[in-house]
Amino acid sequence: MHPLYGTTAVAGIGLKQYKRGASPLPEQGVLVEAILDACADAGFDPAEVDGFVSYGDDRNEPVRLMSALGTRELRWSSSIWGGGGGGVAGAFGLAAAAILSGQASAVIVFRALVEGSSGRLSAAVMAHHLNDHMLAAGVVAPAQVCAIRANRLYQHHQVPQAVAAELVRASYYHGARNPEAIAYGKPFDPAEIAASRWIAEPFHLFDCSRENDGAGAFLMVSAERARDLAKPPVYLLGCANGAEKGWGDLLENDDEALYPSAGFRPIARRLYTETGLKPAEIDVVQLYENFSAQGVASLIDHGFCDYDNVAEVIRFENLIAPSGRLPVNTGGGNFAQGFIHGIGTAYEAVKQLRGESANPVPGARTCLLAGGPGAPTVSSAIFGNVIP
Amino acid sequence: MTIIDGADAPYWEGLAEGRLHLPRCAGCSRWLWPAVSRCGHCGSEDIAWVERAMAGTIFSWTRTWHRFALTEDIDLPYVSAVITVDDCGIRLLGRIDDPGQVDPVIGESVQGRIGKTHVAGRDIPTIIWSRG
């Protein structure tokens, strides 16, 4: 069995979320609150946390958190490379690696984002990639890069564009029913998608995630230790991160077959091989949707459907809890739960497997967390409330 | 002003002279893009810069309507595209003339000319592609 399989677990979770620009505290303060919540959730002394990991160029260097948390000794801190959200799932694998190798015993996985402290996320992500080739083409935002790939997916590979609206609608449906979601209590008319203004074709405003202020934190410990803490463990069953040849930061010169994908094909292959699980054994999916088409591509990459049957699988009724066969973004996802660089999707993964979701999937045992699609390096993880 | 500090410097120097120069491995003849100092296929560090005609086909595109920061001096909407250059297969980022807002078609032939884009406070040489 692969060393990551069921050997570590998420023991506590914390999420603080506000409208963009509305955080009552600076970024580090919000992050500290989220970490304290995660520790309280687990019944764990925050001073005993000895490791930290983030992703996506988070600016909160862990050593600076020590004073506020009362940290006794920082033994390990790290981050996943890459400016986008591709690393969100990979950060859990990195935390597990630190725990399993004895470099740390209690690791906080986190992401914090407050506009007043760090500026706009979209600008930060692009600053990571921008060069004169992109600037000269007027391509300066993640929406445009993803739009170009989406047009290839729709126009060349003949994926019907209507499936993207099904995915958006499912996220808003769940978000409207989740008291912790930005979209809570707001009925969503799918006609709003096409009626909203163009951003970059084929994306309307409602095809795009919109940023929030806030922070998410997850306490990870060994599976054995997690069983002694307050909440039922949510085990990490597998995690993969990276890119294959023909994919990456290649000025749009990716391999032609990989170009319209979200970059997850090698990740999904490894994840399923290393866990022994198949797509049909995934009970619920938390999917990072930066943009609607990339969410669709992510589901294709992870083997839930292909170019031929995509319209049969990515249907609103099939994507919603409790009745759909492929419940996706049961908290509302980045679109409707809120977008703190994707950390909310991991939060919902844990809530769902604990039976705490506002949109529970009956009997769910496994949950796929798919990180930011289309990023040069991407990652996914599978969590379980049992070790199947 | 163009920032010329990487392996793609000959590309920018070529555009400044009105020509499209693209890199090809002298060891295995593969076209290499983005520009690199070593061919990852055969290991050669002998990279030749070869002129290509500014002719290609549309690989994909987007029409931007939102006023993103840095693009304040580009008239909205505008079409950005990925163009496959004929006789080498390298894909370049550029812009397509969009006079009638008729949607570009993937696979359609385009001809390029060297223009410029004022973005982020400076002019950058740009291949502007025209259809038909």
Side-chain angles (χ1 to χ4, degrees), chain B residues 2 9 14 19 24 26-28 47 49 59-61 72-73 77-78 80-81 83 90 99-100 105 110 112 122 126:
Chain B
T2 305
R19 297 170 185 280
R24 186 176 202 178
C28 69
I47 312 291
W49 285 79
F59 186 77
S60 197
W61 61 281
E72 291 79 359
D73 296 323
Y78 61 90
S80 306
I83 305 296
I90 282 175
V105 177
V110 286
R122 57 197 174 90
T126 309

Side-chain angles (χ1 to χ4, degrees), chain A residues 13 34 165 172 187 193 221 262 301 348 383:
Chain A
I13 57 175
Y172 277 93
I193 303 170
V221 294
D301 285 0
E348 174 64 15
F383 294 95

Side-chain angles (χ1 to χ4, degrees), chain A residues 30-75:
Chain A
V30 176
L31 174 57
V32 166
E33 294 295 316
I35 294 171
L36 293 174
D37 282 358
C39 292
D41 184 47
F44 192 88
D45 178 359
E48 294 296 326
V49 170
D50 59 4
F52 297 85
V53 58
S54 188
Y55 62 93
D57 289 344
D58 192 287
R59 292 153 64 106
N60 299 281
E61 191 176 331
V63 69
R64 298 185 195 133
L65 304 173
M66 290 177 71
S67 301
L69 294 174
T71 308
R72 290 200 177 84
E73 184 179 359
L74 177 64
R75 296 173 66 196

